[in-house]
């Protein structure tokens, strides 16, 4: 038994001086792996964020188009212009512009000039600009008459008759495809508006 005790004692003495740890190569490899995994996770997280932003943006755009339609159907009073004045507009619309992250809700008024089927400036503006989330922007405006840089979607009271016009107020046909895009991951969604009143998102 004494012989085993001596062996155990000498084994413990020899190995207790051993310092455990990682070599520099092991540390570098481990840091590289952690960095690579973190980069992948952060990239995917950013994609998820932008995916949520574009989904919410198209829903809000469709909702604001419906809001304009409802306003012209029930012929409600709107606060129009700056300073805002309570007005019952003959038509309510939205103006969208390519490469913009915001769009305008407006009243197409009969005065001081006759209705021109377009947004004509601050005197027709209703409230603040609507803004897409996280830099989402309008990428394309495709109409029956071709691509446009700017379009107006206008609902006339009291039947909410819909007309889609280009920047100068001229009709562009019976539909518009509003393509919007996220800034980093380039995800896209399309909101289609038809003069029949149908709004679809894809």
């Amino acid at each position: 038994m004494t012989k085993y005790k001596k062996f155990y004692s000498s084994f413990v003495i020899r190995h207790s001086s051993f310092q455990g740890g990682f070599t520099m190569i092991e540390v570098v490899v481990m840091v590289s792996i952690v960095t690579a995994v973190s980069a992948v996770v952060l990239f995917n997280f950013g994609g998820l964020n932008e995916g949520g932003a574009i989904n919410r943006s198209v829903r809000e755009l469709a909702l604001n188009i419906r809001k304009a339609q409802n306003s012209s159907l029930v012929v409600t009073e709107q606060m129009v212009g700056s300073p805002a004045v309570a007005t019952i507009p003959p038509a309510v619309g939205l103006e969208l512009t390519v490469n913009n992250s915001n769009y305008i809700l407006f009243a197409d008024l009969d005065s001081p000039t006759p209705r021109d089927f377009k947004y004509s400036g601050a005197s027709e503006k209703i409230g603040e600009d609507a803004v897409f989330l996280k830099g989402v922007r309008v990428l394309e405006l495709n109409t029956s008459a071709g691509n446009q840089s700017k379009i107006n979607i206008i609902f006339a009271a009291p039947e909410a008759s819909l007309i889609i016009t280009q920047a100068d107020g001229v009709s562009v046909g019976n539909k518009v495809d509003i393509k919007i895009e996220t800034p980093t991951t380039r995800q896209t969604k399309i909101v289609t508006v038809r003069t029949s009143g149908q709004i679809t998102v894809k």
Side-chain angles (χ1 to χ4, degrees), residues 102-125:
N102 62 295
Y103 53 96
I104 298 167
L105 184 66
F106 69 94
D108 190 16
L109 301 176
D110 281 328
S111 62
T113 59
R115 284 185 58 208
D116 52 8
F117 305 99
K118 64 178 183 176
Y119 174 62
S120 298
S123 63
E124 293 188 336
K125 193 172 184 179

Side-chain angles (χ1 to χ4, degrees), residues 15 33 39 55 92 103 119 122-123 135 146 148 156 199:
H15 290 280
I33 291 170
N55 285 330
V92 178
Y103 53 96
Y119 174 62
S123 63
Q148 307 294 326
I199 301 169

Side-chain angles (χ1 to χ4, degrees), residues 51-69:
I54 196 169
N55 285 330
R56 185 169 169 191
S57 293
V58 294
R59 284 197 303 271
E60 288 184 355
L61 174 58
L63 190 64
N64 282 328
I65 294 169
R66 285 291 183 217
K67 181 180 174 184
Q69 183 181 37

Side-chain angles (χ1 to χ4, degrees), residues 65-162:
I65 294 169
R66 285 291 183 217
K67 181 180 174 184
Q69 183 181 37
N70 290 338
S71 295
S72 62
L73 265 175
V74 296
V75 195
T76 54
E77 203 171 65
Q78 303 283 343
M79 298 304 291
V80 181
S82 180
V85 176
T87 307
I88 298 176
V92 178
L94 292 90
E95 182 197 65
L96 294 106
T97 306
V98 169
N99 292 325
N100 273 16
S101 292
N102 62 295
Y103 53 96
I104 298 167
L105 184 66
F106 69 94
D108 190 16
L109 301 176
D110 281 328
S111 62
T113 59
R115 284 185 58 208
D116 52 8
F117 305 99
K118 64 178 183 176
Y119 174 62
S120 298
S123 63
E124 293 188 336
K125 193 172 184 179
I126 299 173
E128 298 296 319
D129 290 3
V131 181
F132 293 126
L133 298 174
K134 296 187 179 294
V136 171
R137 67 187 178 101
V138 176
L139 180 64
E140 294 175 5
L141 296 167
N142 300 315
T143 71
S144 306
N147 287 354
Q148 307 294 326
S149 61
K150 183 177 290 187
I151 58 115
N152 303 279
I153 300 168
I154 302 168
F155 295 93
E159 295 89 9
S161 305
L162 174 57

